[in-house]
Structures are given as C-alpha cells and as structure tokens.
Amino acid sequence: MTNGFHEVQFPLRLSLGASGGPGRRTDIVALSNGGETRNARWVDARRRYDAGTGLRGLEDLYQLTAFFEARRGQLYGFRFRDPVDHASVPPGQAVTAIDQQIGTGDGIQTVFELTKSYADTGGATVRRIEKPVEGSVLLAVDGVVLDPGNYTVDPAAGLVTISPGLVPAPGAVVTAGYEFDIPVRFDTDRIEISLAAFKAGTAPSVPLVEIKP
C-alpha cells in the first residue's frame, strides 16, 4: 500500500489543452411543500480533468504513455498545471507579493501556509495551495516585499518560513504571490490508444483526479 507522490510535472503541453475543473458534492433534499434543503458534503472542491483533449500527435501519445508508465497508473501522484487557474492572480496579470493574504502576524509565528481566496459580495472560500512552483513565490509583510533570502519555501508542502530576525509583528498582514500546480493522480489503470481512432479525430480519455490530504 502506498500514498506515494512524485514531484514531477505532467507534460505542460498536454495539460494546457486539458478539459476539466473544480467539482463539489452537494446533497439536495426535496421537501413535501415543493421547497428544498441543500447541504455541502465537502468543505473544499475536488478537481477532475481529462488530459486526452490535449493530445495533438503521435509524439504526445508516446509522451503520455511514458509518463503513465513512470507513475505506474494510479499508484503515484504528480503535479498538474490547471490551464486556467494556476497563479495567485487571474490569467494575464503579473504575480506580485501582495496578491493573497496568507496570515496575520502574532510576534511568534514564522511558518505560513500558502492559500488562495475566491470571493465576491455573495460569498467566499479559501483554498490551500500545496504545490507552489519552485522559485515563483513572492512574500511581503504589511506591503513591504521581503528579499528571497529572508524566507524559505517548501514547494512540496506549500509552506513559507520567514527568517527568525523578521518575525511578523502582531497584526502585521502577511501576503504572497505565486504560481502553482495541483497534486493529482491518474483516475484509471488503463489507457486505451487506437491510432486509427486518433487519426480520425477521436482522442483517448485520460482522466485525472485531484489528490486531497
């Protein structure tokens, strides 16, 4: 039995052509008066993708097969780049150190989890970012950007650690900007490839599912 994870990225060319996105689990009960009640069974969304839509040629098919074999099907997880939502800012905007608030100082805490908020006037949700892209994380305290030498990043866990000499003061706002991947695994132990079907325009299904802690 294993919950192993390989810190390797699914081929970027294939991921950018994938389809899919977040899903939630909601129980809806119809009432006798015609109304209904709704209950969220999951606190966070779980993302699913089909990477088959990103395949464009024989080279892509081989790259997919080799990657699938190296992960031994569903056995090992890996990094996947969501084609739309993969940074602390919307597509087309530059990442900055003040994009997302990730914590508030208390004069003691030096380790902070990377998070991303999705909000409008109707509601909000906060998502843990577990797989930041190495070298992409920018950090600031009360709007003052920290030098990269004054903090470390654990790209496998999504944690940033500020140097002891720069512990955020009580009430100080800690913010971050970053690019990130999603931890996923193959949601099948078999990939059906037919060259005749592929040449006719039919891509094989390559289901991926987000790994939740």
Side-chain angles (χ1 to χ4, degrees):
M1 175 177 277
T2 181
N3 291 318
F5 190 91
H6 292 166
E7 291 290 340
V8 295
Q9 187 185 61
F10 188 73
L12 191 59
R13 169 186 167 88
L14 305 187
S15 64
L16 293 180
S19 60
R24 289 186 173 270
R25 181 70 60 84
T26 307
D27 289 335
I28 301 177
V29 178
L31 305 178
S32 58
N33 63 2
E36 64 181 28
T37 62
R38 297 183 293 275
N39 180 61
R41 294 183 60 186
W42 296 350
V43 174
D44 301 312
R46 191 179 193 189
R47 286 154 176 80
R48 290 181 177 274
Y49 303 91
D50 186 349
T53 56
L55 299 170
R56 295 292 181 267
L58 291 180
E59 182 180 346
D60 292 343
L61 286 173
Y62 180 80
Q63 194 172 20
L64 168 66
T65 301
F67 192 90
F68 179 84
E69 287 285 63
R71 307 289 81 74
R72 302 185 189 181
Q74 300 183 81
L75 189 60
Y76 289 97
F78 53 91
R79 289 171 170 261
F80 176 81
R81 181 68 55 89
D82 186 297
V84 175
D85 187 7
H86 54 255
S88 54
V89 289
Q93 295 186 20
V95 171
T96 73
I98 60 172
D99 292 340
Q100 301 286 331
Q101 181 173 339
I102 62 171
T104 302
D106 60 6
I108 300 173
Q109 183 179 356
T110 59
V111 180
F112 295 86
E113 296 179 341
L114 290 177
T115 59
K116 182 174 182 179
S117 297
Y118 301 83
D120 57 24
T121 56
T125 185
V126 178
R127 172 187 179 189
R128 272 277 285 119
I129 301 300
E130 299 177 60
K131 300 294 180 183
V133 174
E134 193 165 5
S136 74
V137 179
L138 305 176
L139 208 63
V141 177
D142 275 345
V144 178
V145 179
L146 299 186
D147 185 278
N150 290 326
Y151 61 92
T152 59
V153 180
D154 183 347
L159 300 174
V160 294
T161 302
I162 299 175
S163 299
L166 295 172
V167 178
V173 176
V174 182
T175 57
Y178 45 77
E179 295 180 352
F180 65 93
D181 296 319
I182 299 171
V184 303
R185 62 169 171 79
F186 287 104
D187 199 22
T188 180
D189 271 329
R190 179 170 181 165
I191 294 180
E192 295 280 356
I193 295 178
S194 167
L195 285 181
F198 186 72
K199 290 178 180 178
T202 302
S205 177
V206 186
L208 310 176
V209 62
E210 183 178 7
I211 300 170
K212 304 301 288 186

